[in-house]
Amino acid sequence: MPPLRKEGQVLIIILTALLVISSAEVKAEEKGNYQCLACHSKREIIIEFENGETTSGYVNPEEFEESVHSDLRCEDCHREFQEGKHPKRSFRSLEQYRRTMAINCRGCHLEEDICTKPIHARLKAKEGVLTAICMDCHGAHSIKRVGGGEIFESEKRYCMNCHSRDLRMTFYNGDPLPLRVSLVEIEQSVHSKLICSDCHRWFSMEEHPERHFRSKRDYVIAQSEVCKRCHFDKYSKILESIHYRLLAQGNSRAPVCIDCHGGHDVAEVSQNKAVLLQKCRNCHPDVYNTYLNSIHGRALIELSVQDVPICIDCHRAHDIENPLAVEFHERIPEMCGNCHANKALMKKYGLSTEVVKTYLSDFHGVTLGFYKKQRETLYKPMRPIAVCTDCHGVHDISSTRYQDRETIKQNLVNRCRKCHTEANQNFPDAWLSHYEPSLNRAPCIYLVNLFYRIFIPFMFIGLCLQIVLHIWRYAVNR
Amino acid sequence: MGYRRFSTGRIIEHWIAILTVLVLIVTGLSQKYYYLEISQWLILQLGGIDTVRWIHRYTGLVFIILTTVHIMMAIIGVVFLGWRPSMLITKKDFLDAIQNIKYYLGITNIPARCHRYNYKQKFEYWVILTGAILMASSGLVLWFPMTFTRFLPGEVVPLAKALHSNEALLLFIIIAIWHVYNAIFSPDVFPLDTSIFTGYISEERMQKEHPLELMEIKEKEKETAREVSTEGLLEDLGERPLS
């Protein structure tokens, strides 16, 4: 029996092979496509036009098999060609050829049918006749089913059908807008779960309105308005920002959401401060460069210290105030205090937290405290009071640790003179440089304070005792 | 009516002192204790920190003038006009103090017998006078820091602040406790020692508080009375028509 079985197996293999070959032959013969593809599946075929343009005559058999037209025969569209018939034709240009070919589409897809789709209706309404070449959007041999969710499992895929191509539009002022969208970029963005019409609200699988913008900038600004639909908290903060105020005043260069966060590539906000800095750098390169040379900037770039403040720590990210306003200036000690009054944080870098306390309890600090309160209730004092940045610098803050006393003092004299115009060389010593008086620093003041700390209670108790004794004696006398 | 104790000039001087010191205490302590709720309320009520500082400075100026005039008058009075330097501290004041403490403690039954000013008043006078000089000079440094640092080291400014602030508290305590007790709440004078306002003191109080002065006055009175009576006698004799 074993030999018989072997024979049987061979027989089955042969029969199967025959069946496959014959069925393939039948299919090819049926369609007449096999013959065409014998040549047109080769990449070398080049078709030349009268104006010298060329195009490839190559047809990808697999792509065609997957297309919606896979059960059509070549001659159904290429009507002049039939089995054994391959006439030589000539066209002025590639475009003329494609237009001629597009007429053939109308054989099945009547104009009134396709004009029920809004995008075609719009194109027709615009120019009176439908002049677009079908293949420009739908492709030729790789044509896919449109709509209905069969091929386009999502709106995103539907839109990408066109927007994955190198399309472009032009604004009135001539700015080009590439319409090509990278799906990979969207999939990697934080908005990967959103669909196109969540942001491009006017568009859908049914609607594709024509919109008018003077320039690309106008479009970006208008498009940023969409973000508030979800990020209303940020939007309400932005309304108070200097950037929004500039925008409202007509300065279209003021940044909007997209400028900092990007469009399709919107990403999770980076936790690396060195990366975050770059957003502001685009418009504020000078400040950026100054910052890089400051003690904070150098610590961030050279040592990757993430505890240092960057732009948004002082200016904030969304409700950015006008930093030249007195109100902003008055809040600076608070901003610096956020870190410099934090004991645990300052201990890491061997810095004293006394700096904030000594400032706030001295003349400038006390005045500032009242000015802030008075602003709410009384009047608006316009006189600026020296705050941290007035002595230490704004973006160019440097460490005083490695500077010699004389340099510091000279710098300080110059700073004092900004307000106290007649200040002389001695004047800066009126400020104890953030030190609490001690036996080493300002011993005179320390001793005066110590004397009164003892003498005042002594006097108080002594006088009270006298009074008590006096009353007691008076009572005894009576 | 009693005895004349203070002249009109002294009464005016005291009134000015009361008013200026009150204003200085209110505006000064609210700056010293700026972080207290009440100070902040007060400063805002008075029109803000700048206004409070200007009130304090100009009231201080009045107080400085008052102090200067007082010192100048005392010097001129004692040196040229033959005033008795009754505020000078003498050895007797220390003995009086010891005597009085003994009295209070019941060791002796005789209280100290004092002259025009007793040791308590002298102590208070000198503490306040030196305090006033200290407050005035440190206050001026704080008012004009740039002028003073032109010829003094910069550290005088925080030093002046420390002195001004601490001395203020000391003076406030002395005035609020010691002076107010002695002038208002002390059983000897309650409800108020009116002599600095009326200028007069009762004989009873003179007897009790300033017996030595009273003795002196009475002796003087006797002398003048004798002179007056002799003169009167002569006048009487002179004017009487011969009969």
Side-chain angles (χ1 to χ4, degrees):
Chain A
M1 287 309 276
L4 189 73
R5 194 183 285 169
K6 204 175 178 184
E7 276 166 22
Q9 279 182 347
V10 172
L11 193 70
I12 290 165
I13 293 168
I14 292 168
L15 280 175
T16 319
L18 276 172
L19 195 70
V20 169
I21 291 164
S22 65
S23 71
E25 271 175 2
V26 168
K27 203 177 170 188
E29 274 168 15
E30 225 172 52
K31 291 180 187 170
N33 291 355
Y34 179 72
Q35 221 176 359
C36 303
L37 284 174
C39 295
H40 282 279
S41 63
K42 289 180 183 140
R43 290 174 193 270
E44 299 89 63
I45 300 179
I46 302 288
I47 298 159
E48 203 174 334
F49 298 99
E50 280 173 16
N51 68 349
E53 280 180 317
T54 57
T55 188
S56 169
Y58 168 69
V59 175
N60 185 334
E62 281 106 46
E63 236 179 45
F64 181 69
E65 273 308 307
E66 280 171 18
S67 84
V68 72
H69 286 163
S70 62
D71 38 352
L72 295 185
R73 289 169 306 171
C74 299
E75 59 261 40
D76 289 338
C77 294
H78 301 275
R79 288 185 186 164
E80 291 87 345
F81 301 89
Q82 267 158 30
E83 210 174 343
K85 239 170 112 186
H86 200 289
K88 174 129 182 91
R89 299 178 305 163
S90 65
F91 294 93
R92 272 197 312 282
S93 63
L94 177 60
E95 199 198 335
Q96 197 219 346
Y97 171 66
R98 289 170 70 88
R99 280 197 185 287
T100 315
M101 287 309 296
I103 294 166
N104 293 339
C105 302
R106 294 290 191 280
C108 302
H109 303 283
L110 298 177
E111 191 154 320
E112 56 260 43
D113 286 345
I114 60 172
C115 281
T116 57
K117 296 281 182 193
I119 189 157
H120 295 140
R122 275 213 154 262
L123 285 169
K124 192 180 176 187
K126 197 172 164 187
E127 297 179 22
V129 284
L130 205 51
T131 55
I133 299 165
C134 306
M135 290 86 84
D136 282 353
C137 297
H138 297 278
H141 297 107
S142 58
I143 188 159
K144 296 283 194 305
R145 187 184 293 275
V146 179
E150 286 181 35
I151 300 287
F152 303 99
E153 72 269 31
S154 68
E155 185 194 81
K156 208 181 274 173
R157 296 253 169 229
Y158 173 78
C159 298
M160 285 308 292
N161 192 40
C162 295
H163 286 279
S164 58
R165 296 162 202 273
D166 272 327
L167 306 174
R168 66 178 50 225
M169 272 170 62
T170 312
F171 292 99
Y172 287 135
N173 72 342
D175 288 344
L177 177 70
L179 297 174
R180 187 196 177 106
V181 175
S182 163
L183 192 61
V184 180
E185 211 170 62
I186 294 179
E187 296 296 348
Q188 285 173 352
S189 80
V190 278
H191 286 164
S192 60
K193 295 275 189 298
L194 297 187
I195 60 171
C196 306
S197 62
D198 283 334
C199 297
H200 300 278
R201 300 181 57 198
W202 301 267
F203 299 88
S204 68
M205 294 221 266
E206 283 76 38
E207 290 289 327
H208 199 287
E210 196 172 328
R211 307 185 70 216
H212 300 270
F213 293 99
R214 200 157 40 94
S215 64
K216 185 174 179 183
R217 188 67 199 152
D218 281 3
Y219 173 67
V220 169
I221 292 168
Q223 193 57 38
S224 275
E225 284 291 304
V226 160
C227 307
K228 73 177 171 209
R229 291 182 71 208
C230 300
H231 303 282
F232 197 80
D233 56 328
K234 301 291 185 296
Y235 177 75
S236 58
K237 281 184 172 178
I238 277 169
L239 291 182
E240 290 157 22
S241 75
I242 177 83
H243 287 150
Y244 186 84
R245 202 147 59 238
L246 286 173
L247 196 67
Q249 284 165 5
N251 185 347
S252 61
R253 289 163 68 203
V256 291
C257 316
I258 294 171
D259 293 308
C260 299
H261 294 282
H264 293 126
D265 57 341
V266 55
E268 194 83 55
V269 174
S270 172
Q271 293 305 306
N272 186 343
K273 289 191 163 180
V275 176
L276 279 176
L277 268 184
Q278 306 301 326
K279 296 186 192 300
C280 309
R281 181 190 190 178
N282 286 337
C283 301
H284 304 282
D286 292 347
V287 176
Y288 175 81
N289 289 333
T290 314
Y291 172 80
L292 283 198
N293 287 321
S294 76
I295 180 78
H296 293 138
R298 275 172 37 215
L300 176 63
I301 302 300
E302 290 167 18
L303 307 169
S304 292
V305 175
Q306 293 290 318
D307 291 328
V308 298
I310 58 166
C311 319
I312 56 170
D313 288 306
C314 299
H315 296 283
R316 297 206 287 254
H318 294 108
D319 46 349
I320 300 166
E321 274 176 86
N322 177 4
L324 303 175
V326 184
E327 288 86 346
F328 182 84
H329 187 251
E330 282 176 359
R331 250 205 325 282
I332 287 172
E334 214 174 286
M335 295 174 198
C336 300
N338 279 340
C339 296
H340 285 275
N342 180 337
K343 278 214 170 78
L345 188 62
M346 287 303 106
K347 206 179 162 196
K348 257 170 91 177
Y349 303 100
L351 293 169
S352 163
T353 51
E354 294 292 291
V355 288
V356 182
K357 208 176 95 191
T358 47
Y359 169 77
L360 289 176
S361 60
D362 208 78
F363 191 81
H364 291 127
V366 172
T367 311
L368 190 83
F370 276 105
Y371 276 13
K372 272 157 104 179
K373 282 209 171 61
Q374 283 167 224
R375 200 170 289 293
E376 295 157 15
T377 51
L378 274 176
Y379 61 101
K380 294 189 189 314
M382 294 314 289
R383 190 164 55 121
I385 296 296
V387 295
C388 320
T389 53
D390 290 302
C391 294
H392 293 278
V394 185
H395 297 118
D396 56 343
I397 297 169
S398 55
S399 172
T400 50
R401 206 178 270 177
Y402 308 110
Q403 291 175 14
D404 64 300
R405 281 184 69 81
E406 278 313 300
T407 325
I408 293 176
K409 202 177 160 185
Q410 192 47 52
N411 289 342
L412 213 49
V413 175
N414 296 335
R415 304 272 191 193
C416 294
R417 280 184 186 149
K418 280 186 187 171
C419 300
H420 308 275
T421 42
E422 284 162 39
N424 66 354
Q425 295 293 326
N426 286 345
F427 189 65
D429 289 332
W431 164 241
L432 297 177
S433 312
H434 292 293
Y435 287 104
E436 293 277 22
S438 68
L439 274 177
N440 298 324
R441 293 269 175 185
C444 283
I445 297 157
Y446 174 78
L447 291 174
V448 165
N449 284 335
L450 186 69
F451 167 74
Y452 279 103
R453 206 167 299 144
I454 297 164
F455 190 62
I456 290 174
F458 173 77
M459 189 69 103
F460 179 80
I461 293 166
L463 294 178
C464 287
L465 272 178
Q466 276 260 343
I467 291 169
V468 171
L469 282 174
H470 184 224
I471 294 171
W472 180 64
R473 182 69 212 195
Y474 192 86
V476 165
N477 282 359
R478 277 169 70 119
Chain B
M1 200 62 185
Y3 293 88
R4 180 92 194 179
R5 184 159 167 82
F6 296 113
S7 66
T8 319
R10 292 292 179 212
I11 295 170
I12 294 168
E13 187 183 43
H14 187 254
W15 267 115
I16 298 171
I18 291 180
L19 296 174
T20 50
V21 167
L22 262 181
V23 173
L24 287 171
I25 284 175
V26 169
T27 54
L29 286 185
S30 59
Q31 287 184 69
K32 179 174 165 72
Y33 299 105
Y34 64 92
Y35 44 82
L36 297 179
E37 198 77 3
I38 176 122
S39 313
Q40 306 218 340
W41 175 84
L42 195 75
I43 287 170
L44 292 182
Q45 289 301 307
L46 288 172
I49 188 72
D50 286 329
T51 322
V52 169
R53 281 183 183 146
W54 283 115
I55 296 174
H56 189 80
R57 285 167 193 162
Y58 284 114
T59 316
L61 191 63
V62 174
F63 185 71
I64 289 173
I65 294 167
L66 186 75
T67 312
T68 317
V69 169
H70 177 89
I71 295 169
M72 296 302 284
M73 270 172 56
I75 293 170
I76 292 167
V78 170
V79 176
F80 300 104
L81 306 178
W83 291 2
R84 185 211 288 265
S86 49
M87 268 297 179
L88 278 189
I89 294 173
T90 59
K91 191 182 163 193
K92 183 177 179 297
D93 292 312
F94 293 99
L95 298 174
D96 282 355
I98 294 164
Q99 173 78 15
N100 241 20
I101 288 166
K102 276 185 183 166
Y103 170 69
Y104 289 154
L105 293 173
I107 297 169
T108 169
N109 273 326
I110 311 148
R113 285 165 62 81
C114 298
H115 208 273
R116 182 167 167 81
Y117 299 110
N118 63 31
Y119 72 96
K120 291 180 194 171
Q121 289 163 328
K122 283 186 185 178
F123 159 79
E124 195 186 316
Y125 173 83
W126 283 106
V127 167
I128 289 178
L129 186 72
T130 48
I133 294 165
L134 202 60
M135 293 304 278
S137 45
S138 59
L140 284 172
V141 171
L142 293 174
W143 191 351
F144 305 105
M146 261 168 305
T147 318
F148 281 92
T149 50
R150 210 165 289 158
F151 50 87
L152 289 172
E155 268 195 25
V156 294
V157 179
L159 182 66
K161 194 180 169 187
L163 280 172
H164 198 83
S165 162
N166 282 309
E167 184 67 24
L169 183 62
L170 181 69
L171 290 181
F172 171 70
I173 285 173
I174 287 172
I175 293 169
I177 295 175
W178 194 231
H179 187 69
V180 167
Y181 172 76
N182 283 325
I184 298 171
F185 295 105
S186 164
D188 297 335
V189 297
F190 192 80
L192 179 67
D193 182 352
T194 53
S195 61
I196 195 65
F197 302 111
T198 61
Y200 288 94
I201 185 168
S202 66
E203 179 158 1
E204 184 195 345
R205 273 193 58 209
M206 276 298 271
Q207 186 64 55
K208 202 170 169 192
E209 291 167 41
H210 309 286
L212 297 180
E213 190 191 7
L214 185 66
M215 234 163 70
E216 207 178 274
I217 292 171
K218 284 210 165 149
E219 258 167 40
K220 235 182 215 167
E221 265 176 1
K222 268 181 206 162
E223 269 174 38
T224 33
R226 210 175 296 136
E227 282 168 21
V228 167
S229 61
T230 4
E231 277 168 22
L233 196 65
L234 289 171
E235 276 166 20
D236 281 355
L237 285 171
E239 278 176 17
R240 189 175 292 168
L242 292 166
S243 56

